Amino acid sequence: MLRIARIAFLLLALVTQFHSPIRAQQCCTGNVSTYCTAGTSVQGCVPVMAGVGIPSADAGAGFQVGVSGLPGQRYGTIFYGFYTYVTPWAPGSPSFKCVASPVQRTGTLSTGASAASCAGSLSLDFNAWIAANPGALGSPFLPGQTIRAQAWYRDPSAPGQTNLSNALQFTLCSGVGDTTPPVITSCAANQTVGTTTSCQGIVPDFTASVVASDVCSPVSFTQSPAAGSVASQGNTTVTITARDVAGNTSNCVATLAVFDATGPVIVNCTSGLVVPSTGNCQGVVPNVTAGVVAIDGCGGPVSIIQDPPAGALTISGLTSTLITITAADISGNTSTCSVMLVISLSLACQGLVPIQPGTFQMGSAAPQGPPYWGPIGPVHMVTISQPFWIGSREVTQAEYAAVVGENPSNFQGDASRPVERVSWFDARAYCAALTAQQAAPGGLPFGYEYRLPTEAEWEYACRAGSGSEYNVGGGLDCTQARINFSHVTNSYCASGSTAPVGGYAPNAWGLFDMHGNVWEWCLDSYADYTASAAIDPFVTGGNERVVRGGGWGSDSLTCRSAMRGYPGPNVKSSDLGFRVVLGPILVP
């Protein structure tokens, strides 16, 4: 039972015009609308008045007049007035008095809300009140009369310690008025949406495609759950309501299917791995899924696979392999991460040939005249005291571009050709970058680095134990090296460019293109020989740098094992490249 209290719900009724009695109107809606501005209470409440149903002068149908948003600690009653004019309060007041003074009030009601809240509400059945108060407001109620009403409640901050809601206006119908609900001729189609990261779906607007008609008034649509709200995974029934102006409604339903469209979240991917190469210069891919952590937002199990799979072999000679890790949920949604597998290649797998220490005669005692045109000397004994590794082939354009990021070569189009148009400084920079790259996995012997060969190391490796002018014997023809002219056969070789590395037979130690193709930079500065024996000779401080081996544009005589060239270190040429050595650290 509602307790009698002091916050009031005030209705002031004004008759604006009179008409002769009107018979029952099938489509009368009462033209229910609101106007005026509600005042704001000290608690921040802004009460809202509304009317639901059809206001009738002569029928018992219910028309609910109510107000919501009342502060809980205030009370009120409802009053009705019967006037033909409206007198607002002065602008700037906390609220506006939108109708004249009351002449009738209802009983006092409680808002039912807790203190300091804005949850209080009051409601009155206007038609029941008519029946109970047939002479209220000074005259019987007649169809066609326009009634205005406003609620008030106690509020110490308002003038006169009262405050007001907005105002309600409606016209009395004859009989029950419009009681025919809209006819829904086409309901919304079922819809499907994917989940968000929280495994919920966002409810779309189902009302846009609904078609409904009403014999009396326009139709509006609402839906439950509302568009923009969230729905759980699975099927949700969406109820669409068609409402006419009189408040009559019809419903239809559609189904929202929310499917799992969210991939698992990988919270921890495996870090980089290093494995040694096998005897065939491949790496065995390990199982990297054990360290992967993935969570499915919908709480389901997650499977984790990798590509290439554990146990697979990498491509022969490959130094790294990208492993893609895929996490999949039971709905087939996937997320991926990747990890780089570094293959720690043995030196042999890196294309390096081990060279053991030894002693050889450096230089040439060839006589003057063809096919050698003189000695290169004096010939002297040289000892290589420490082992080193030397590239079996000249550095290719592909290898150079992979480390440096560019290809300066003149003869491009086949990345297996030797890189050329590189200066001595460029070649050294490549070696330094290679050292830094390979040192990280711990793949270099202590005290060793990638560098250019010394002149003595180059000739020692070129000769491969031979004492002749070439490592293939006393002469060099067009079938044995990429050269321009052979003095042995006295013929041109028709070589106008470099050739892919390794295209001719190697020397006895497995080294290719030590004669021809491109001249090769050495680490030394140029200096004249002496006849004295030397151990690990290495010349520094000169203005020129030594080049060896001859190139594609050379005659056979300049491709001899002992032949020396000495351009400046900045020189770049289309027949000038290099090969690398892994040897004891030297500073030029």
Side-chain angles (χ1 to χ4, degrees), residues 75 161 228 326 411 460 479 526 562:
Y75 304 90
Q161 297 190 3
T326 301
F411 299 114
Y460 180 55
T479 66
Y526 177 81

Side-chain angles (χ1 to χ4, degrees), residues 21 71 126 146 213 218 225 278 337 346 360 494 558:
F126 179 76
T146 297
S213 61
T278 62
C337 66
S346 65
F360 73 105
T558 58

Side-chain angles (χ1 to χ4, degrees), residues 170 204 231 272 361 391 410 419 494 556:
F170 52 92
Q361 293 285 340
N410 181 64
V419 67
S556 60

Side-chain angles (χ1 to χ4, degrees), residues 205-268:
D205 181 9
F206 277 77
T207 66
S209 60
V210 180
V211 179
S213 61
D214 186 80
V215 296
C216 296
S217 64
V219 179
S220 60
F221 300 99
T222 58
Q223 68 178 65
S224 179
S229 60
V230 296
S232 299
Q233 186 177 341
N235 291 337
T236 296
T237 298
V238 179
T239 301
I240 297 99
T241 299
R243 185 184 303 274
D244 63 17
V245 173
N248 304 302
T249 61
S250 296
N251 297 325
C252 68
V253 297
T255 299
L256 172 65
V258 180
F259 67 94
D260 182 6
T262 308
V265 177
I266 299 176
V267 296
N268 182 57

